[in-house]
Amino acid sequence: MVGSMSAQQIEISGTVKDSKNEPLLGVFILVKGTQRGATTDFDGHYTLKANVGDVLKYSFLGMKTVEKKLTASTKELNITMQEDVQQLEGTVVVGYGGKKVASRTVASVATVKGKDIAETPNASAIDALQGKVAGLVVSTDSGKPGASSSVLIHGLNTFFSVFDETIVSEPLYILDGAVVTSDIMTMYNPADIESITVLKDAASTSIYGARAANGVILITTKRGKRNERTHISINHQLGFSMRTNVTRKFFENMATPQEYMDFWILKEPSALTSLGRRLGYTETTPREIADRILAENPYNTRWDKVFFHDFAPVSRTDVSISGGSNVSSYFLSLGYLDQQGIKARSDYKRYNLNANLDTQIAEWLKAGLSISLSHTDMESVSGGGGAETDVLSLPIYSPTEIDGKRKNYIPSITGYQNGFYHPDYLAEKYPADRYSDNIMPIGYLQIEPVKNLTFKTQLGIQYNVDEDYSRGPLPSFIEYRYDTDSNKTVGQTERQMSKYLQRTYTNLLEYRWNIKESHNFDFLLGQESVESVMRFFSASSKGQPSDKLTMLSHGPKEPTVRDSQSETGFNSFFTRLEYSYKNRYFLDLSARRDGSSAFGANNRYANFWAVGAMWKLKEEKFLQKVNWLTSLDLRFSTGISGNSSIGDYRNRTLITPSNTYKEKSGYFLSMLGNPDIMWEEQQKTTLGLHISIVKGTNINLEFYERNTHKTLAQGYINSASGFTSIPHNIGDMQNRGIDFTFSTIAYRSKNNNWNIRPYFNLNYNQQKVTSLYLNKEFFANSFSYAGYRLNEALQWTMPIFKGISKDGNAEWYLPNETNYMIQQKDDSKTTYQFDEKQLMQTTGKKMYAPVNGGFGLAVTYRNVSLDLAFSYSLGKWLINEDKYYTLNQSSFGSKNFSKDLLNYWKQEGDDTELPKLNSAYYMRKDTRLLENASYMRLKSVSISYALPQELIDQMKFFSGVRLYASARNIFTITKYSGADPEFSNTLSRGGYPPTRQFTMGVELKF
């Protein structure tokens, strides 16, 4: 009897209306757990058949979902749906809290949805943020797969970081509430990220206190949903990488064999006649000798095509399973990325497993556990063989024998020992690998003893193990330059292993209440501890007998062992009070006290705070009848956050043991500490205006001022102590600027088939140094070409090139004798003698571009979507050291040169920046290398097609099928003549060029 009743089918009808009693068109009514359902008509009416005991789920965009269980007596179900403000207006994630309604958040935050980064063909998810967030600048120095990127939010926090790489300007990264290192962006699978939120102002960052001076990036991972059936998603993509168009043009400009010979016949004919005699040629004139060399070497090899492949495959597969019951939800995913590099031995593989589980154990108790496992394999070449500049080798040589067999060594016409190794041979004989494992479990318990009072305790662990295994040279390596006997090669192996363990303990107590439905309060009290331990070990040995026996224990010669360990800790207490009145006036107050092991006992703790307020003007009576205006919000925040990134144990003088003194243990001072070093502080003030207009137009304008005080760096001291610097607070800096964001629905058809949504964002940042160590007014460093002066931005500093004199010599301006950071371009004060240090002065060009941003377009037509994303930078200047290496010729037969060298000075009146033919140097490290690197780049384009739902329903197998294609770094518009305007490494010295990617994929849902 019970079985027949549960299977009894009934017909249900009814009407669905909103809270204003207006009928809703298009409400979807689904029989939960099935694909059967119905939709409401113009009058909000619906009819469907279901079984007794089924649950009907009513869903509509912007409304809270309603569920009703059917009984035998159910004939009519009339539903009233309430607005879901979170769904309607969107939500954002803020510090130490759940999601908040975006329009009711005082803090300045920017969110990039997971779908915008999920299918990026790069290993790094952060690269996909370039041009998407106003005020955030992403830069990558290498196109190598797995390379990390650096991030700046609202400019540089400390001017000394351009001289000292240990000074950190990176933001704080938080993954699901746990502090993580920045390499999480390459280790974590982008497909498993729900959203990335960038916190930019004091109201949002000061709650993180001592680590938030450079901004905060919150990463929220995907989780399952309760009361949902199991969803399975399979996403697979294939593609390839190749060099960018800018890099190609760089190598296309290299001289041909004939151009090379013609140049040297004019420059130094004796070099060819001398070479002809050594080679035993019967020809005597430079031209005859050059012609014979070309005849014997009839090649025009593009060595860049030998060093870099034009087709490097990439494949990626992601599988996820998610769902939930009445009390639990789950998400499980597997990911695999295989990205080959465009250079030999630069492949990258990543394996990911992520799992999230949340469960409501009791009405008052909730628990969750997530675990992320990742493993990466990264290939590289350990070095040796002098391959850094070989990409500039002469085109007259061939990389293969006549029979097509690869040459391991390419001799030079000037002498066998002056040749070079084939890059693939060096890669085989100097192999190196890096294996990385990342284990990250995060668990929490949440208790709600009384309504609106919650206590949450969480433990997050990040455990990284990196192993570097370098074998090179292998015993079979032949040093062709000096001997062809491989038995004389001494094999060498080195292993390095670092283990990093970070534990984050977080305890939160939160209470929410309201008074008379008008006054809303949210009070948060928290404690957090972060403990980090780094252990490092390395060992090496020599004399490995064969390529198959390359372990450390196989090498009996010169064994070495090194190890180190460091520990750091944070302990923090914080609180926050959020208040709103009738959702019209908002006030946020936060405070935090941080303690760090980076400082001595006198300065170990510091206090940080923030105040934020928002006024929703649209809620006022004088604007309520302005129908075209949807929202008008005025925001203000100010507060202090901090930075402790100075390095380990900088508050202590360190003694290091040594056994080099008469083979007995001894000690020496390895670092001079400063017990009085203090926290770096940043005060940031932001004033913002958000305007929302009907039809989906949003404008956001923010003015900010970021003042950094007591900058952490190295202060220079008298060398009498044996040291030239000491950790110190050396000065102050200011960043002031504007963030502007615009988005709109430019067109939407009545039936919603067409939808066009453009967006644009811009950041203008003005930077200056406001105070310097020991009351100095200026400082510069010729090694980094960087300099600064009080109340001015960081500037490129190098000798200023005046021009070519009437007799064909290069001429430079003499710098100001008292202050080289005051530019002097006096035609009466010049010199023909180059000295990089003595002639150094400010160029007046800023080191960091003042304007950065992006724009794009999203177009949908029925089931087809197209997305375009551009990024740009204006006012950017970059030193192109490739010009130095491709425009100088030291001797005949060494390296090729750029065709631009042929534009050297020939006679008075020539318009050129290169001196006369017999000059020792055609290019110096002066302002001729400093180029305008402003650019606009088509960062990404993607097109996708989703199969119609009608076809999916007929298949009765898939719940969704989507086909897509994407490309990244398509083209770049720039005046920069180097490898790439976003790329600061030098290709001529072995730099890895940036790449562009093309992929195609399919996504299947079940």
Side-chain angles (χ1 to χ4, degrees):
M1 176 67 69
V2 175
S4 63
M5 287 185 63
S6 62
Q8 179 183 354
Q9 191 175 72
I10 57 177
E11 184 174 276
I12 307 99
S13 62
T15 303
V16 183
K17 298 182 179 181
D18 61 15
S19 57
K20 298 179 181 179
N21 206 34
E22 295 291 333
L24 291 173
L25 167 66
V27 176
F28 188 56
I29 304 100
L30 179 70
V31 179
K32 197 169 180 180
T34 72
Q35 296 297 314
R36 294 181 288 111
T39 56
T40 57
D41 58 20
F42 286 97
D43 299 319
H45 186 264
Y46 71 95
T47 302
L48 60 77
K49 292 182 180 181
N51 295 326
V52 173
D54 283 345
V55 176
L56 299 188
K57 183 177 180 181
Y58 300 78
S59 58
F60 188 72
L61 181 64
M63 296 291 182
K64 292 181 179 180
T65 300
V66 178
E67 293 186 1
K68 293 291 184 179
K69 189 173 183 179
L70 301 180
T71 65
S73 60
T74 306
K75 300 297 181 182
E76 183 178 5
L77 270 179
N78 296 318
I79 303 298
T80 300
M81 303 189 76
Q82 304 295 327
E83 280 191 353
D84 186 344
V85 179
Q86 291 192 4
Q87 188 185 96
L88 194 61
E89 302 183 18
T91 59
V92 294
V93 180
V94 295
Y96 298 108
K99 294 183 178 180
K100 298 182 179 293
V101 179
S103 65
R104 299 178 184 176
T105 303
V106 173
S108 172
V109 301
T111 300
V112 178
K113 296 180 180 179
K115 67 180 183 63
D116 295 328
I117 60 177
E119 291 163 3
T120 174
N122 280 350
S124 176
I126 203 71
D127 180 66
L129 299 185
Q130 177 74 321
K132 296 288 182 66
V133 177
L136 182 142
V137 178
V138 181
S139 57
T140 306
D141 280 344
S142 174
K144 185 177 181 180
S148 58
S149 301
S150 61
V151 176
L152 290 180
I153 300 175
H154 287 167
L156 202 65
N157 77 306
T158 169
F159 48 86
F160 207 81
S161 61
V162 298
F163 308 118
D164 186 351
E165 293 182 354
T166 64
I167 306 299
V168 178
S169 290
E170 288 278 297
L172 174 68
Y173 289 86
I174 307 288
L175 181 96
D176 288 341
V179 177
V180 292
T181 55
S182 60
D183 60 1
I184 193 68
M185 302 308 294
T186 55
M187 299 290 287
Y188 205 85
N189 188 354
D192 295 338
I193 295 176
E194 180 70 27
S195 66
I196 295 180
T197 302
V198 181
L199 310 185
K200 298 189 288 184
D201 70 340
S204 60
T205 61
S206 291
I207 191 68
Y208 289 103
R211 296 161 296 165
N214 301 314
V216 181
I217 293 181
L218 302 180
I219 306 160
T220 303
T221 64
K222 291 181 178 179
R223 312 187 85 85
K225 296 180 181 179
R226 289 163 61 178
N227 297 312
E228 266 198 0
R229 70 171 183 85
T230 299
H231 294 278
I232 301 175
S233 175
I234 300 175
N235 196 331
H236 180 67
Q237 58 178 272
L238 293 172
F240 63 93
S241 301
M242 61 190 301
R243 286 176 293 162
T244 62
N245 59 328
V246 181
T247 307
R248 287 174 175 274
K249 290 179 181 178
F250 171 80
F251 286 107
E252 287 171 357
N253 199 41
M254 301 303 291
T256 65
Q258 190 64 58
E259 289 170 332
Y260 183 86
M261 292 298 179
D262 291 345
F263 174 83
W264 275 98
I265 289 173
L266 294 174
K267 176 178 173 60
E268 193 177 345
S270 61
L272 280 93
T273 55
S274 175
L275 177 61
R277 287 193 298 269
R278 292 202 309 270
L279 296 176
Y281 286 178
T282 57
E283 293 82 358
T284 57
T285 67
R287 173 59 66 186
E288 291 174 336
I289 294 171
D291 289 343
R292 179 169 176 178
I293 292 174
L294 294 178
E296 293 177 351
N297 301 273
Y299 309 108
N300 186 11
T301 302
R302 283 280 302 270
W303 285 105
D304 59 299
K305 293 185 177 181
V306 177
F307 277 75
F308 308 119
H309 310 303
D310 283 331
F311 182 87
V314 58
S315 67
R316 181 175 150 191
T317 303
D318 299 301
V319 180
S320 67
I321 303 174
S322 63
S325 64
N326 291 333
V327 295
S328 300
S329 63
Y330 59 89
F331 178 87
L332 175 67
S333 73
L334 296 169
Y336 172 67
L337 171 68
D338 184 356
Q339 185 175 2
Q340 297 185 24
I342 62 172
K343 289 183 70 174
R345 280 200 64 81
S346 62
D347 296 353
Y348 178 85
K349 294 181 180 180
R350 184 183 65 204
Y351 308 82
N352 291 94
L353 185 147
N354 295 317
N356 292 330
L357 175 64
D358 299 279
T359 184
Q360 192 77 42
I361 300 174
E363 188 176 350
W364 53 272
L365 178 61
K366 184 179 180 180
L369 176 65
S370 63
I371 185 167
S372 170
L373 305 176
S374 65
H375 172 81
T376 61
D377 295 339
M378 180 185 291
E379 295 181 341
S380 61
V381 180
S382 62
E388 291 83 3
T389 62
D390 291 343
V391 71
L392 300 182
S393 296
L394 296 184
I396 62 174
Y397 306 127
S398 171
T400 59
E401 303 286 358
I402 297 177
D403 59 1
K405 183 180 178 181
R406 186 191 75 193
K407 291 181 180 179
N408 292 335
Y409 182 78
I410 297 93
S412 170
I413 57 174
T414 62
Y416 191 86
Q417 72 279 5
N418 296 328
F420 61 97
Y421 292 96
H422 195 289
D424 292 348
Y425 180 71
L426 285 180
E428 293 170 0
K429 301 305 179 182
Y430 282 83
D433 296 279
R434 163 166 278 207
Y435 309 107
S436 299
D437 295 290
N438 183 291
I439 303 173
M440 193 163 51
I442 301 174
Y444 73 88
L445 281 174
Q446 183 172 302
I447 302 171
E448 188 174 4
V450 297
K451 187 178 181 180
N452 295 329
L453 176 66
T454 59
F455 172 74
K456 182 179 181 180
T457 182
Q458 177 172 293
L459 169 61
I461 296 175
Q462 183 179 15
Y463 182 57
N464 291 352
V465 179
D466 295 319
E467 179 187 359
D468 292 288
Y469 183 25
S470 173
R471 292 91 65 205
L474 292 176
S476 62
F477 174 73
I478 299 176
E479 182 56 271
Y480 288 98
R481 286 193 177 100
Y482 311 111
D483 204 307
T484 59
D485 186 2
S486 64
N487 293 326
K488 293 186 178 181
T489 298
V490 178
Q492 181 174 345
T493 294
E494 181 177 10
R495 283 183 181 268
Q496 296 182 354
M497 180 172 288
S498 62
K499 295 183 178 181
Y500 178 78
L501 175 63
Q502 181 171 269
R503 296 184 293 266
T504 303
Y505 305 90
T506 307
N507 296 293
L508 303 173
L509 183 66
E510 186 174 18
Y511 182 55
R512 300 178 180 180
W513 76 98
N514 66 75
I515 300 175
K516 297 181 179 180
E517 301 296 329
S518 297
H519 303 273
N520 297 291
F521 297 87
D522 189 335
F523 177 72
L524 177 72
L525 186 65
Q527 180 275 331
E528 186 172 69
S529 297
V530 181
E531 301 172 356
S532 303
V533 180
M534 168 67 82
R535 294 184 177 91
F536 174 80
F537 175 85
S538 73
S540 65
S541 65
K542 293 183 179 181
Q544 280 71 13
S546 74
D547 291 1
K548 300 298 183 181
L549 299 171
T550 59
M551 297 181 67
L552 288 169
S553 58
H554 298 151
K557 301 178 181 179
E558 302 180 35
T560 63
V561 175
R562 293 179 295 130
D563 66 343
S564 64
Q565 178 174 325
S566 64
E567 299 182 11
T568 60
F570 269 93
N571 191 36
S572 311
F573 301 91
F574 51 91
T575 184
R576 179 176 63 208
L577 176 64
E578 299 177 350
Y579 166 76
S580 66
Y581 175 66
K582 291 186 176 180
N583 290 323
R584 184 184 305 169
Y585 309 109
F586 297 80
L587 177 67
D588 282 10
L589 305 173
S590 65
R592 183 172 178 127
R593 181 169 176 81
D594 273 324
S596 171
S597 61
F599 303 98
N602 295 335
N603 299 306
R604 183 149 294 165
Y605 281 87
N607 300 320
F608 307 95
W609 57 269
V611 177
M614 180 174 66
W615 178 18
K616 296 185 75 65
L617 285 84
K618 174 61 178 175
E619 302 301 318
E620 300 293 347
K621 292 182 178 179
F622 58 85
L623 286 177
Q624 286 182 354
K625 293 184 179 180
V626 181
N627 296 329
W628 58 267
L629 184 66
T630 303
S631 178
L632 180 62
D633 303 336
L634 182 65
R635 287 185 172 95
F636 170 81
S637 67
T638 187
I640 292 178
S641 56
N643 181 27
S644 61
S645 300
I646 185 62
D648 298 335
Y649 308 114
R650 297 301 176 95
N651 63 312
R652 301 180 181 183
T653 296
L654 300 185
I655 297 175
T656 300
S658 172
N659 58 358
T660 58
Y661 183 72
K662 295 183 178 181
E663 298 183 353
K664 295 183 179 180
S665 296
Y667 298 89
F668 67 95
L669 291 178
S670 58
M671 188 179 76
L672 197 61
N674 181 359
D676 297 321
I677 194 169
M678 295 183 289
W679 293 80
E680 178 182 299
E681 291 184 351
Q682 172 196 275
Q683 180 163 8
K684 193 168 188 179
T685 301
T686 304
L687 179 64
L689 182 67
H690 176 79
I691 304 171
S692 181
I693 305 172
V694 294
K695 296 185 179 180
T697 298
N698 290 278
I699 300 172
N700 198 68
L701 183 64
E702 294 180 352
F703 301 86
Y704 64 87
E705 183 174 285
R706 177 187 182 194
N707 292 296
T708 304
H709 305 289
K710 299 181 290 187
T711 298
L712 290 170
Q714 293 290 120
Y716 293 103
I717 58 174
N718 192 301
S719 60
S721 64
F723 296 88
T724 58
S725 63
I726 186 174
H728 213 286
N729 303 94
I730 68 167
D732 302 337
M733 189 173 185
Q734 181 186 91
N735 286 275
R736 179 186 291 171
I738 300 172
D739 281 348
F740 175 76
T741 302
F742 170 84
S743 64
T744 187
I745 301 176
Y747 175 76
R748 180 165 54 193
S749 61
K750 292 182 179 180
N751 56 7
N752 208 27
N753 282 342
W754 273 103
N755 201 314
I756 302 176
R757 303 183 304 279
Y759 74 87
F760 173 83
N761 68 70
L762 175 145
N763 168 259
Y764 171 76
N765 188 73
Q766 187 181 63
Q767 178 191 89
K768 64 180 180 181
V769 178
T770 55
S771 174
L772 284 175
Y773 179 58
L774 298 177
N775 296 318
K776 290 184 177 181
E777 293 187 2
F778 59 93
F779 179 80
N781 186 313
S782 60
F783 294 104
S784 59
Y785 307 109
Y788 47 79
R789 179 186 175 196
L790 278 182
N791 297 315
E792 292 185 4
L794 273 74
Q795 298 172 17
W796 292 109
T797 57
M798 57 198 320
I800 297 181
F801 175 72
K802 179 182 184 295
I804 302 299
S805 65
K806 62 181 181 180
D807 55 357
N809 293 313
E811 192 174 3
W812 296 270
Y813 287 106
L814 293 170
N816 188 297
E817 295 180 358
T818 58
N819 187 341
Y820 48 75
M821 289 306 293
I822 298 177
Q823 188 179 102
Q824 177 173 281
K825 295 173 68 174
D826 188 341
D827 289 346
S828 65
K829 297 180 179 181
T830 62
T831 181
Y832 296 109
Q833 301 299 318
F834 184 82
D835 188 305
E836 188 173 349
K837 291 184 178 180
Q838 296 299 321
L839 295 179
M840 178 184 67
Q841 64 170 310
T842 179
T843 64
K845 306 299 184 184
K846 296 178 180 179
M847 291 192 69
Y848 292 88
V851 179
N852 293 278
F855 60 94
L857 183 69
V859 181
T860 59
Y861 174 67
R862 294 185 177 179
N863 296 335
V864 180
S865 64
L866 172 68
D867 289 276
L868 300 172
F870 292 82
S871 64
Y872 64 88
S873 183
L874 302 177
K876 181 174 184 177
W877 292 85
L878 197 61
I879 292 177
N880 178 13
E881 286 200 322
D882 278 310
K883 287 178 67 173
Y884 178 81
Y885 295 106
T886 59
L887 289 175
N888 281 320
Q889 287 286 287
S890 57
S891 60
F892 174 77
S894 56
K895 300 297 179 185
N896 200 6
F897 57 78
S898 168
K899 291 182 179 181
D900 294 337
L901 179 57
L902 303 178
N903 192 35
Y904 60 84
W905 182 91
K906 300 177 182 65
Q907 61 185 8
E908 185 176 350
D910 282 352
D911 182 15
T912 180
E913 60 178 16
L914 303 177
K916 57 188 177 183
L917 184 62
N918 62 355
S919 301
Y921 287 88
Y922 298 97
M923 181 61 61
R924 292 285 194 171
K925 292 186 177 181
D926 56 33
T927 50
R928 286 174 291 179
L929 302 183
L930 187 59
E931 297 185 11
N932 186 347
S934 300
Y935 69 88
M936 183 189 72
R937 165 166 283 167
L938 178 53
K939 195 69 178 178
S940 66
V941 56
S942 63
I943 185 169
S944 65
Y945 172 72
L947 266 63
Q949 190 61 41
E950 297 82 2
L951 181 59
I952 297 296
D953 292 340
Q954 292 176 11
M955 292 182 183
K956 297 182 180 180
F957 184 73
F958 301 106
S959 62
V961 176
R962 186 172 66 92
L963 307 174
Y964 63 90
S966 64
R968 293 187 63 79
N969 297 335
I970 313 304
F971 68 83
T972 306
I973 299 175
T974 183
K975 295 181 179 179
Y976 185 65
S977 66
D980 195 277
E982 286 189 285
F983 178 79
S984 58
N985 277 347
T986 308
L987 286 182
S988 307
R989 306 298 294 176
Y992 202 113
T995 60
R996 51 182 172 175
Q997 298 86 32
F998 301 87
T999 59
M1000 296 181 65
V1002 58
E1003 181 184 26
L1004 306 175
K1005 292 184 177 181
F1006 303 89

